[in-house]
Amino acid sequence: MTDESPTTAYDLAAKGQAAAAAAAGAFDQLPIYLPGVECAERAAIRALQLEKLQRQVRYTYDKVPYYRRRMDEMGVHPDDVRTLDDVRRLPFTDKSALRETFPFGMFAVPMDDVIELHASSGTTGKPIVVGYTRDDMDVWSECIARLVQMAGVLPGDIAQMAFGYGMFTGGFGLHYGLQRLGCAMVPAGSGNTERHINMIEDYGTTVLVATPSYAMRICEVGEQMGYDWASSPLRVGLFGGEPCPPALKAEIEARMHIVCTDNYGLTEVMGPGVSGECLAQRFQQHIAEDHFLWEVVDPETGETLPEGEYGELVLTPLDKQAIPVLRYRTHDLTRVFTEPCACGRTMARMDKVRSRSDDMLIIRGTNVFPSQVEDVLKDVEEVTPHYHIVVETVNGMDSLTVETEIRPEAFSDSFEHMNAIKAKVKAKLDGTLLVGTNVKLVEPGGIERTAGKAKHVDDLRR
């Protein structure tokens, strides 16, 4: 596997030609950022992964007391990692480890070497904090540059950011990677939809970075304003932060006249950039295997599953310096394939994540936990703690309904009285979940009781 400079020549720069090339199956005409890496032979990819894994395990053992203690307890030493399969001998990592060592207990470098901090929002207790050295930032921006070029983004494009910035990794990650590719950034941030549409027209924006639901909102507001999306300079939509159902993607592409792709990542292992969708595979994403060793395991037993079987994705970053992580359990369910892709890349492809092994819901880019609903309802005296959550797709967007029981003493034939209770519950839920909810009041005893573990959630999007 050779190191080389990214390609810059690309003859499909005009609006619509990237979509036309993809529709015609002319994927060999689309650019590849690092072809010597992304199109390497499988044997070369695996050899590089083993070399990096051995180095990373030694580095982590020497620099992070938490992992040294865990490995010593398990009777495993860095010298025991002789093949890629030996990664199974190493300890798993999950969110609890990063929370227990808040804020910097998992860091492998002094803070003098850390140039940026990010964090994921926690539902309870402390958030998960991650740091980046200059080398970490270099790897991160390279991974993003690769995935956006998979989507048809070109050097010279003007990219408009509709993610929020702050401690969230998504906004800054895409910002850095797009700049590295050679794009001009419009850091618009989230909100003020009409301003976004004006910026697209005024600045000649060709790439939009957003959640798919917000992209749909921009589309609808533009139509209400009389904006002609067919004549817009916009060409590519880079989506993240939430799943994008195929029907929603198709509707956005048709109404906005753009090509839309998804990408995947999580704060604990880097942020966005772990994998990205090329134009040859609209339902799978290429993993940056030279930077991430993947496993798919049984979410119950932790046992490794064969290629092509659904299970929980486990990731080991192979180059992280500030906060190395071994075998991180993502709780995301997917499957992985390694046969070459029509786009020319040989990096493994993972199915897009549509569900998780834990109980977290992603509603329009926001993490929602049933425990948050419980916390809200217990403070509303008119309802019982019994509840049921229904998530479904309505008009191409996520819809969250919370069903809760009214207490007998609060029940009334008065429409106004019941509506007031419903409005009270909705206001408290919206303020806590930070996402709009529908509330349905159920008669006393209307929520099913079970002898075993209650089923609180029906996610009908699946």
Side-chain angles (χ1 to χ4, degrees):
M1 186 180 296
T2 60
D3 190 16
E4 58 184 87
S5 299
T7 57
T8 56
Y10 184 42
D11 61 1
L12 298 175
K15 177 179 177 177
Q17 288 186 323
F27 306 117
D28 58 341
Q29 297 181 43
L30 301 173
I32 296 177
Y33 187 75
L34 289 175
V37 174
E38 298 176 71
C39 305
E41 296 289 336
R42 290 299 306 168
I45 294 171
R46 300 293 279 174
L48 178 63
Q49 287 181 318
L50 177 57
E51 176 189 337
K52 287 189 171 187
L53 177 65
Q54 291 172 325
R55 184 175 66 231
Q56 189 73 356
V57 171
R58 167 61 69 181
Y59 174 79
T60 304
Y61 183 86
D62 290 344
K63 298 291 187 179
V64 184
Y66 171 87
Y67 281 116
R68 184 163 58 251
R69 182 174 66 254
R70 289 287 312 280
M71 291 174 65
D72 287 346
E73 290 171 352
M74 297 172 67
V76 62
H77 188 269
D79 292 341
D80 296 328
V81 179
R82 299 184 178 90
T83 71
L84 285 176
D85 287 342
D86 289 332
V87 72
R88 303 172 191 176
R89 306 180 65 176
L90 302 174
F92 284 117
T93 309
D94 59 19
K95 290 179 184 291
S96 64
L98 288 92
R99 289 199 172 111
E100 289 167 7
T101 56
F102 176 89
F104 307 132
M106 297 283 275
F107 281 33
V109 299
M111 285 302 296
D112 286 350
D113 294 336
V114 175
I115 66 168
E116 190 156 319
L117 292 174
H118 284 278
S120 64
S121 58
T123 56
T124 59
K126 299 293 186 179
I128 290 169
V129 178
V130 296
Y132 301 80
T133 65
R134 292 194 182 278
D135 284 344
D136 290 335
M137 297 298 291
D138 186 60
V139 169
W140 193 13
S141 63
E142 180 205 293
C143 288
I144 296 293
R146 283 157 58 166
L147 76 83
V148 299
Q149 190 137 62
M150 288 184 207
V153 179
L154 317 171
D157 268 322
I158 299 173
Q160 188 162 314
M161 179 64 66
F163 282 158
Y165 283 89
M167 299 299 282
F168 169 57
T169 57
F172 280 105
L174 271 295
H175 185 117
Y176 297 142
L178 284 158
Q179 280 189 329
R180 177 166 180 154
L181 181 63
C183 300
M185 291 303 303
V186 180
S190 58
N192 199 334
T193 305
E194 291 189 9
R195 180 176 63 111
H196 270 288
I197 296 164
N198 291 333
M199 285 180 170
I200 291 171
E201 185 64 22
D202 292 342
Y203 303 152
T205 300
T206 54
V207 178
L208 175 67
V209 184
T211 64
S213 56
Y214 190 58
M216 189 72 250
R217 175 63 179 164
I218 292 174
C219 175
E220 292 171 341
V221 171
E223 290 171 344
Q224 293 166 8
M225 294 169 58
Y227 187 68
D228 182 9
W229 287 112
S231 62
S232 163
L234 203 62
R235 192 182 77 253
V236 177
L238 298 174
F239 294 163
E242 65 184 5
C244 183
L248 177 59
K249 175 184 287 188
E251 182 175 1
I252 294 172
E253 289 187 332
R255 290 169 64 176
M256 296 184 79
H257 300 271
I258 61 177
V259 175
C260 304
T261 65
D262 299 331
N263 62 80
Y264 172 82
L266 57 163
T267 300
E268 296 86 345
V269 302
M270 184 178 70
V274 173
S275 66
E277 172 190 343
C278 72
L279 296 180
Q281 293 286 345
R282 306 310 307 276
F283 306 104
Q284 294 180 330
Q285 299 169 333
H286 289 278
I287 302 171
E289 287 191 277
D290 51 324
H291 296 302
F292 300 95
L293 181 65
W294 59 269
E295 304 169 71
V296 177
V297 305
D298 185 307
E300 298 294 330
T301 67
E303 293 297 316
T304 301
L305 297 174
E307 178 181 327
E309 288 196 16
Y310 275 107
E312 180 183 347
L313 181 66
V314 174
L315 294 170
T316 299
L318 298 173
D319 297 285
K320 289 192 74 173
Q321 294 183 351
I323 179 169
V325 179
L326 300 178
R327 303 191 78 197
Y328 188 79
R329 298 194 65 159
T330 68
H331 296 294
D332 291 324
L333 300 178
T334 187
R335 57 182 177 171
V336 178
F337 302 91
T338 59
E339 65 265 19
C341 179
C343 73
R345 294 174 179 84
T346 53
M347 294 284 170
R349 303 190 309 276
M350 57 180 275
D351 278 2
K352 294 180 182 180
V353 173
R354 299 295 298 157
S355 59
R356 294 176 54 84
S357 60
D358 61 10
D359 62 356
M360 186 182 80
L361 298 166
I362 302 178
I363 310 295
R364 298 192 294 276
T366 300
N367 296 346
V368 174
F369 289 79
S371 58
Q372 294 174 292
V373 175
E374 293 177 12
D375 290 341
V376 169
L377 296 181
K378 70 180 177 59
D379 292 329
V380 181
E381 60 183 10
E382 293 90 349
V383 301
T384 75
H386 303 292
Y387 68 96
H388 181 230
I389 298 171
V390 178
V391 187
E392 53 193 337
T393 302
V394 178
N395 296 326
M397 296 182 66
D398 293 342
S399 175
L400 174 67
T401 299
V402 176
E403 302 173 353
T404 182
E405 282 184 10
I406 191 79
R407 291 188 182 277
E409 61 269 26
F411 184 80
S412 170
D413 290 334
S414 167
F415 180 83
E416 290 78 11
H417 177 72
M418 299 300 284
N419 255 7
I421 296 175
K422 182 187 294 187
K424 178 180 178 180
V425 174
K426 175 176 172 55
K428 289 182 176 291
L429 285 170
D430 289 356
T432 297
L433 304 182
L434 303 180
V435 64
T437 59
N438 304 306
V439 174
K440 180 179 179 181
L441 296 181
V442 179
E443 65 186 21
I447 301 294
E448 180 183 2
R449 272 63 159 168
T450 60
K453 184 177 180 181
K455 183 180 180 182
H456 288 302
V457 179
D458 276 320
D459 190 344
L460 306 181
R461 297 173 299 181
R462 306 192 189 109

